[in-house]
Amino acid sequence: MIAEFKAFIDKGDVVTIAVGLILALYFKTIVDAILEGVILPIISAIFGEPNFAAIGFDVGDAFISIGLVINALVSFLAVAFILFLLVKAYNKSKGPEEEEVSGPSEVDLLTEIRDQLRANN
């Protein structure tokens, strides 16, 4: 059983996955801070409230909060935009990628082989 467990653990690079997850958790705190410190105060300044939770209607004793859906959409779009900007800045900081120098295409090679075969005959 221990050997099976070791084989199970060794199938994936557990350390790399763990590091990626830990970095993702801390990256989430950065995105949350930008959302809470920048985006939501802008929404509050524009609409007079920090979120849209009050938007909705009553059905009997229940309150249907459309504002919660709007909050989720605004948060999703804000996070997606923040991630887009961060990834764009990261890619720009890496500099241009080196293009691979490719040799002749398959058609060129086949044409060359054909010509050599004709020359030998």
Side-chain angles (χ1 to χ4, degrees):
M1 185 177 226
I2 292 174
E4 284 180 286
F5 180 70
K6 185 177 184 312
F8 172 74
I9 293 295
D10 288 341
K11 282 186 181 178
D13 194 351
V14 177
V15 174
T16 302
I17 293 169
V19 168
L21 288 173
I22 291 168
L23 286 175
L25 289 172
Y26 280 95
F27 191 75
K28 180 188 179 309
T29 61
I30 294 169
V31 172
D32 287 344
I34 293 171
L35 191 61
E36 293 290 326
V38 178
I39 304 298
L40 293 180
I42 291 172
I43 290 172
S44 178
I46 293 171
F47 295 104
E49 297 202 16
N51 59 42
F52 302 106
I55 298 173
F57 55 91
D58 291 321
V59 175
D61 291 338
F63 180 73
I64 308 298
S65 179
I66 298 171
L68 291 176
V69 176
I70 296 171
N71 277 344
L73 287 171
V74 168
S75 294
F76 172 77
L77 292 174
V79 168
F81 185 68
I82 291 166
L83 288 174
F84 169 75
L85 292 177
L86 290 172
V87 169
K88 187 174 175 89
Y90 173 75
N91 288 338
K92 190 172 185 175
S93 72
K94 287 189 342 182
E97 293 184 17
E98 295 180 18
E99 294 183 22
E100 290 184 26
V101 178
S102 60
S105 69
E106 289 181 28
V107 173
D108 293 336
L109 290 174
L110 290 172
T111 304
E112 185 178 328
I113 292 169
R114 181 197 65 201
D115 293 343
Q116 286 180 355
L117 288 173
R118 282 184 182 165
N120 289 339
N121 287 338

